[in-house]
Amino acid sequence: MLVVRPAGSADFDALMELAVLSGRGFTSLPEDEATLRARLALSEASFQAGVAPPEAWYTLMLEETDTGSVEGVAGVKAGVGLKRPFFSFRVVTLAQSSPTLEMRFDHKALVLVNECAGWSEVGSLFLRPEKRKGGAGRLLAQSRYMLIGIEPQRFAEMVLAELRGWFDQDGRCPFWEHVSHKFFRLDFDQADLMSASTDGQFILDLAPRHPIYTELLPEEARDVIGRVHRDGEAARAMLEREGFRYQGLVDLFDAGPTVACPRDDIRTVRDAKRLRVKLGEDAFGEEALISTGEVSRFRAIRAPVLIDGDAAILGREAMDALGVCEGEVVRVKA
């Protein structure tokens, strides 16, 4: 059975392997030992309420219980832009007109903004390629919203997700080459690692302060503004089913889109029910998303469940995977 559980320090090797597999542009999974070890330590402290709620970063691992193999990772940051700016480009329309010539023009432009400070972020969603079918990705993605729904007050009223921008088949990032590189003068991989592993001061120092008119950019750079990486289309579709929508914001480095949704309007957060566990002799009922009712003991699975009033009747395998006993609270999203 697949189960989503909190990450711990023992997951370092698996997390590094996933980071290597994720490839270029996956900023939240850098191939950097110090960064990944610090992230695992922060995650452990976050689940045990060892850090202030806005500073928490919860990392989740998707594990195959039969083998102990880690198949994927996801995360939830309780607050972004608190200790370092959370910069994006906003795609704006600038209108210019000349009454003398009786002419009016609209120009698209990119403007540096820091609009999302204090929002929560769901991200870092990555699965091994062979696990991207059969519902594993959906389980991992929705587990983040089940976590948020246990104690919504730990998270901001708005939740965002950044999607990886477009890279060519040969690994080139057109937006980086034609736009961002002109300001940062670094290799993409170097800038990406610095973004993930430093306080981001270099972005504050070097990012453009004035609007960038998109009409002045090469066509291949214009065409990828707000475009999702080929491997991110499924993730975008899952986010949109939960209620996330494009916000007119794109990433500084690869121009990938930012989507967002009010926390309490996220479908899984809104619709999951708190129920008491009751043991059934056999697994039966419709398959549903089920999580524990406590952040510190968080686990999530998909399994058959029969809802009877305020009771969730589960099979023994499901109860063991969740680590719950009869009478305990679980959250169920049919």
Side-chain angles (χ1 to χ4, degrees):
M1 176 178 284
L2 291 172
V3 60
V4 179
R5 58 163 178 81
S9 57
D11 291 310
F12 171 75
D13 289 341
L15 187 60
M16 177 60 81
E17 185 179 356
L18 292 171
V20 172
L21 288 172
S22 68
R24 302 187 78 195
F26 210 96
T27 306
S28 58
L29 281 180
E31 298 175 35
D32 182 74
E33 179 175 350
T35 300
L36 295 183
R37 289 195 184 279
R39 177 174 172 183
L40 290 171
L42 176 57
S43 181
E44 286 185 312
S46 298
F47 276 103
Q48 298 304 319
V51 296
E55 298 174 9
W57 186 356
Y58 307 87
T59 298
L60 300 166
M61 310 303 280
L62 178 69
E63 179 182 307
E64 174 56 67
T65 57
D66 292 339
T67 64
S69 173
V70 172
E71 308 293 354
V73 61
V76 183
K77 286 184 181 180
V80 300
L82 300 176
K83 290 189 173 180
R84 51 174 282 182
F86 189 83
F87 286 123
S88 307
F89 281 131
R90 173 161 287 287
V91 183
V92 301
T93 300
L94 302 177
Q96 293 180 274
S97 62
S98 171
T100 302
L101 298 176
E102 296 183 347
M103 301 177 70
R104 181 184 183 280
F105 300 98
D106 289 340
H107 299 279
K108 295 289 185 184
L110 303 175
V111 178
L112 185 71
V113 297
N114 181 29
E115 296 182 10
C116 302
W119 292 15
S120 294
E121 179 183 11
V122 293
S124 308
L125 180 67
F126 182 78
L127 289 92
R128 296 179 186 275
E130 64 271 20
K131 289 292 181 179
R132 292 176 187 169
K133 295 181 180 179
R138 183 183 175 202
L139 167 62
L140 186 55
Q142 287 185 299
S143 69
R144 301 173 300 181
Y145 315 128
M146 295 296 273
L147 175 66
I148 291 172
I150 294 174
E151 293 186 47
Q153 67 275 13
R154 291 192 184 211
F155 304 92
E157 293 183 359
M158 286 295 295
V159 181
L160 69 89
E162 289 190 301
L163 289 154
R164 182 164 30 165
W166 186 257
F167 287 72
D168 293 340
Q169 291 286 0
D170 60 2
R172 290 177 56 253
C173 179
F175 187 82
W176 173 262
E177 289 193 1
H178 292 294
V179 184
S180 302
H181 180 262
K182 309 300 183 186
F183 298 95
F184 295 102
R185 307 294 175 89
L186 301 168
D187 291 336
F188 180 90
D189 292 338
Q190 183 182 3
D192 198 40
L193 177 59
M194 289 183 65
S195 177
S197 61
T198 72
D199 63 2
Q201 181 63 41
F202 80 103
I203 297 177
L204 185 63
D205 294 338
L206 301 177
R209 295 290 189 271
H210 304 288
I212 300 172
Y213 285 78
T214 62
E215 290 179 26
L216 301 179
L217 302 178
E219 183 178 358
E220 71 167 348
R222 290 199 309 270
D223 288 348
V224 300
I225 295 172
R227 186 177 179 185
V228 178
H229 190 280
R230 62 186 65 81
D231 293 338
E233 289 291 350
R236 180 172 191 165
M238 287 190 291
L239 285 160
E240 290 177 343
R241 284 196 293 270
E242 292 287 341
F244 285 77
R245 295 293 181 265
Y246 177 53
Q247 301 295 303
L249 300 170
V250 300
D251 183 77
L252 288 186
F253 291 173
D254 61 22
T258 294
V259 296
C261 182
R263 177 197 64 205
D264 298 337
D265 291 342
I266 298 172
R267 181 169 295 175
T268 297
V269 173
R270 183 190 66 211
D271 294 348
K273 299 178 180 179
R274 290 174 59 85
L275 303 169
R276 294 281 177 183
V277 174
K278 183 177 179 180
L279 174 63
E281 291 299 323
D282 299 298
F284 58 96
E286 296 292 327
E287 187 175 84
L289 178 66
I290 313 165
S291 80
T292 55
E294 299 176 39
V295 170
S296 61
R297 298 171 55 202
F298 183 79
R299 294 174 82 84
I301 61 172
R302 290 196 69 85
V305 56
L306 181 65
I307 298 175
D308 182 16
D310 63 354
I313 303 174
L314 304 177
R316 173 59 65 186
E317 183 183 14
M319 290 177 61
D320 290 344
L322 290 168
V324 297
C325 301
E326 281 199 280
E328 291 191 58
V329 171
V330 293
R331 300 183 72 248
V332 178
K333 166 65 170 62

